[in-house]
Amino acid sequence: MSQLRAARCLHADGPFEPHSNAERDGGRIMETTRIPPTEVTGLYGAAVKLISRKMLGKVPDSIGVLWHHPAVMKDSMTIGRKVDGWGELDPQLASYAAMAAAATIGCGFCLDLHYFLAHDRGLDEEKVREVPRWREASVFSPLERDVMAYAEAMSATPPAVTDELSARLLDALGPAALVELAGRVGFMNLTARMNVALGIRSSEFAAECGLAPLAVREADVDPAERGPVERGSAELGSAA
């Protein structure tokens, strides 16, 4: 999972029940994580659960998954808190970069968490929700697009950052902020790839906060979910 930070809206109206990433198949409950969550125990475990409820309003299944190896969880969260404390890069740009990297890798947990955190930190959530389809959206400035392009290119395998893109960002941000951008995207790659590999999925933080669903790229929309006009346009486009 990614870094945690004190949040407000999830528990503003009272305590939430612990969330489960389980899915129903008929009458059976099927875990979606590839490693079943284990019980979080002990004094340190109690502290983790308390902090999770305070920060997120619930204890996500990701805690139970990582609790199989508490040192991995503890050290990852420690690094995350340090990353969260960096201050050379504008917070809005940092949010865009983290989410663009998460979208590239396909980490639903990361996208959901950072969308919620952007709301909680008073960032422009209307723009943040457009990050997964930033190339199609018209709300972003050239600098914001360069930041997300950098995050996307860094998250490719192999990394595909060009000299031209790096030079533009160096000129616009300065060396310290560009180093921070690379560091933030690198950390997101660590956590996002681990979450995806372990099958850790969205915990619905943003939905429980009443936020609109994250935007989806047109290419990722199931044709069956499009309206008649959209389906017709898509079919014409594919035939052209």
Side-chain angles (χ1 to χ4, degrees):
M1 60 183 295
S2 187
Q3 63 264 35
L4 302 180
R5 177 170 171 163
R8 289 180 287 277
C9 70
L10 276 178
H11 60 277
D13 297 322
F16 280 81
E17 293 298 320
H19 176 76
S20 174
N21 281 337
E23 293 181 335
R24 289 191 177 274
D25 179 13
R28 295 185 303 134
I29 298 291
M30 301 182 64
E31 291 293 339
T32 61
T33 52
R34 290 178 174 147
I35 299 176
T38 189
E39 184 180 359
V40 181
T41 60
L43 292 177
Y44 178 61
V48 169
K49 289 189 287 187
L50 179 64
I51 292 171
S52 295
R53 291 192 180 101
K54 181 179 179 181
M55 293 179 173
L56 301 173
K58 59 190 175 185
V59 181
D61 278 355
S62 55
I63 297 292
V65 172
L66 296 179
W67 192 253
H68 288 286
H69 197 321
V72 171
M73 184 193 71
K74 182 178 181 180
D75 291 346
S76 297
M77 291 175 67
T78 297
I79 296 170
R81 285 194 296 272
K82 291 182 180 296
V83 170
D84 205 38
W86 297 343
E88 294 293 335
L89 185 65
D90 175 80
Q92 192 83 31
L93 294 178
S95 180
Y96 296 157
M99 292 183 67
T104 302
I105 295 163
C107 181
F109 181 93
C110 308
L111 282 168
D112 174 51
L113 176 61
H114 281 268
Y115 182 29
F116 158 68
L117 289 176
H119 166 84
D120 189 65
R121 295 168 181 176
L123 303 181
D124 187 340
E125 66 191 58
E126 290 301 317
K127 293 181 73 171
V128 169
R129 73 175 296 270
E130 294 289 336
V131 171
R133 63 176 182 192
W134 67 270
R135 291 184 182 276
E136 302 168 9
S138 60
V139 296
F140 298 107
S141 69
L143 174 58
E144 291 166 343
R145 290 180 177 279
D146 275 350
V147 165
M148 289 182 284
Y150 188 92
E152 192 175 274
M154 249 194 82
S155 303
T157 303
V161 176
T162 65
D163 290 342
E164 293 77 13
L165 176 58
S166 184
R168 286 202 304 271
L169 285 170
L170 180 61
D171 183 60
L173 300 175
L178 183 53
V179 169
E180 180 174 323
L181 172 60
R184 285 182 178 274
V185 174
F187 179 70
M188 176 51 70
N189 270 256
L190 166 67
T191 57
R193 291 179 186 275
M194 182 167 66
N195 288 341
V196 171
L198 294 174
I200 293 172
R201 306 191 183 184
S202 169
S203 288
E204 306 296 332
F205 299 125
E208 291 178 6
C209 220
L211 302 182
L214 280 166
V216 180
R217 292 186 307 163
E218 181 66 22
D220 295 333
V221 176
D222 187 334
E225 296 179 0
R226 296 192 180 107
V229 174
E230 293 174 305
R231 284 199 298 272
S233 298
E235 290 164 2
L236 286 173
S238 62

